[in-house]
Amino acid sequence: MSGISLDAGALIAIERGDPDVRALLRQAADRGLEVHVVPEVVAQVWRGGPRQARLGAFLSARGVTTPEYDVHAAREVGRLCGASGRHDVVDVHVVWHARSRGHLVVTSDPEDMRAIDPSLPLVSV
């Protein structure tokens, strides 16, 4: 495992100060693991304002990456949507991104992620 990818539920847990997610992120940092958040996940949860100060600080923290969503990634996500029969491009992008990088997925929807890829390593929050 080279890193972790977070879904919207994981970002919401960060925003709420969930101690389990904080511990997981601390462990990832201690091990030098990458932390990635695909851009659509940010769009799902970001509303701005002072209530999201914790989330804003996390997203701009050193070691947290929001990779670009280019046409190659879009095509691969579309292919995986077709192959898995799933239509939620955000979840599918999280799965594709994590799979392509050997990441663990931190999610609040393990059933949805497993429906896309049953072999994906997951941590449920």
Side-chain angles (χ1 to χ4, degrees), residues 6-90:
L6 309 177
D7 79 350
L11 291 190
I12 291 167
I14 290 166
E15 185 174 50
R16 292 180 179 162
D18 182 280
D20 294 333
V21 174
R22 287 192 352 222
L24 178 70
L25 292 170
R26 233 183 343 269
Q27 290 171 359
D30 290 347
R31 294 177 59 196
L33 298 177
E34 302 173 343
V35 177
H36 287 193
V37 183
V38 298
E40 305 94 323
V41 168
V42 176
Q44 278 186 317
V45 300
W46 189 257
R47 300 299 176 261
R51 293 180 58 181
Q52 290 194 302
R54 182 179 289 140
L55 181 58
F58 169 76
L59 289 171
S60 61
R62 191 168 141 204
V64 177
T65 300
T66 301
E68 291 194 28
Y69 191 30
D70 61 16
V71 70
H72 169 73
R75 288 178 177 163
E76 293 301 315
V77 169
R79 282 188 189 101
L80 185 52
C81 282
S84 66
R86 307 299 286 187
H87 302 288
D88 184 338
V89 295
V90 178

